[in-house]
């Protein structure tokens, strides 16, 4: 699928380009977060990465390797932005993209999978009824919110919190984005699945 999108984008297919951006923007965003970049800095990194891709799209030898290319380019852009914002005197304090230990163990495929899961969860959460959203936020706060406080804030009985949580989680699981992830994970972890092979 990635190969097909890259080939179509090379040929000027705007829908294919938009699909690439939609699919891989979470990957770029997640790498920016690892470098603790946000706001305008993360936006600048994203714009630079996509601009580089426009220039390099015809030169990619293996279109299927696009996620790895994007991950490497994003890391380099993050380092460039960090060095630019911190100034020349702190250049030695900004690590190279290749020298960050956590970056070495997380492959582009793993980063993409995490980003896709986060994007799906955000999408599904935003489509929950507001009562479910408020309940899930309170149930996941750190430190934990006592049940009596949840009851008071939401105006529900303490004994209703558990059943309401179950109903909200069921709605979350049934959302198409989450269902697709669950089904994808099941097919990947099946009998013939091998780690490291893209879906």
């Amino acid at each position: 699928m990635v190969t097909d999108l890259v080939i179509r984008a090379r040929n000027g297919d705007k829908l294919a380009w938009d699909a690439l951006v939609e699919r891989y923007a979470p990957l770029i965003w997640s790498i920016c977060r690892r470098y603790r970049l946000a706001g305008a800095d993360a936006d600048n990194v994203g714009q630079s990465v996509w601009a580089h891709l426009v220039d390099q799209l015809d030169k990619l030898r293996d279109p299927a390797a696009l996620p790895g290319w994007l991950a490497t380019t994003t890391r380099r852009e993050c380092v460039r932005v960090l060095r630019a914002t911190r100034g020349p005197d702190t250049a030695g304090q900004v690590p190279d993209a290749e020298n960050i230990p956590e970056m070495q163990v997380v492959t582009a495929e793993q980063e993409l999978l995490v980003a896709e899961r986060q994007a799906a969860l955000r999408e599904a959460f935003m489509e929950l009824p507001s009562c479910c959203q408020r309940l899930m936020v309170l149930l996941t706060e750190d430190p934990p919110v006592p049940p009596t406080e949840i009851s008071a804030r939401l105006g529900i009985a303490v004994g209703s919190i558990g059943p309401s949580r179950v109903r909200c989680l069921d709605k979350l699981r049934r959302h198409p984005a989450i269902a697709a992830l669950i089904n994808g994970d099941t097919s990947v972890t099946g009998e013939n699945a091998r780690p490291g092979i893209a879906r």
Side-chain angles (χ1 to χ4, degrees), residues 11 14 25 70 72-73 89 99 117 125 129-130 142-143 148 183 193 195:
N11 294 328
K14 185 181 181 311
L70 286 171
T72 300
T73 304
D89 294 336
N99 295 337
R117 285 177 174 165
F125 180 80
S130 60
D142 187 22
T148 51
N183 292 337

Side-chain angles (χ1 to χ4, degrees), residues 11-191:
N11 294 328
D13 186 333
K14 185 181 181 311
L15 290 177
W17 175 261
D18 290 345
L20 285 174
V21 172
E22 183 178 348
R23 177 171 177 144
Y24 293 110
L27 171 64
I28 293 170
W29 180 80
S30 71
I31 294 172
C32 287
R33 284 197 62 187
R34 287 175 189 269
Y35 279 86
R36 291 176 170 58
L37 292 179
D41 288 338
D43 290 342
N44 289 339
V45 168
Q47 288 171 7
S48 295
V49 170
W50 293 119
H52 285 314
L53 182 58
V54 168
D55 293 338
Q56 298 295 319
L57 201 54
D58 289 334
K59 300 172 188 167
L60 282 177
R61 286 181 303 224
D62 180 9
L66 178 63
W69 185 93
L70 286 171
T72 300
T73 304
T74 302
R75 290 182 192 119
R76 289 179 179 151
E77 283 300 307
C78 287
V79 169
R80 182 188 63 76
V81 167
L82 283 172
R83 286 187 174 149
T85 56
R86 293 185 184 178
D89 294 336
T90 57
Q93 299 171 15
V94 178
D96 290 327
E98 292 80 10
N99 295 337
I100 295 183
E102 66 178 296
M103 293 299 180
Q104 294 169 346
V105 294
V106 180
T107 66
E109 186 65 27
Q110 290 169 321
E111 286 174 334
L112 177 60
L113 186 58
V114 168
E116 285 178 339
R117 285 177 174 165
Q118 290 172 344
L121 188 56
R122 279 193 303 275
E123 178 186 341
F125 180 80
M126 294 308 293
E127 293 184 22
L128 282 175
S130 60
C131 58
C132 280
Q133 289 183 18
R134 291 195 309 269
L135 176 61
M136 299 310 291
V137 166
L138 289 173
L139 287 172
T140 55
E141 279 194 12
D142 187 22
V145 180
T148 51
E149 188 175 334
I150 293 175
S151 171
R153 285 200 207 174
L154 300 183
I156 61 174
V158 171
S160 297
I161 294 173
S164 295
R165 174 183 169 275
V166 170
R167 283 192 297 275
C168 292
L169 287 174
D170 283 343
K171 287 178 184 173
L172 204 61
R173 285 188 199 98
R174 286 196 304 269
H175 187 279
I178 300 297
L181 275 180
I182 292 170
N183 292 337
D185 286 348
T186 302
S187 65
V188 168
T189 55
E191 192 173 36

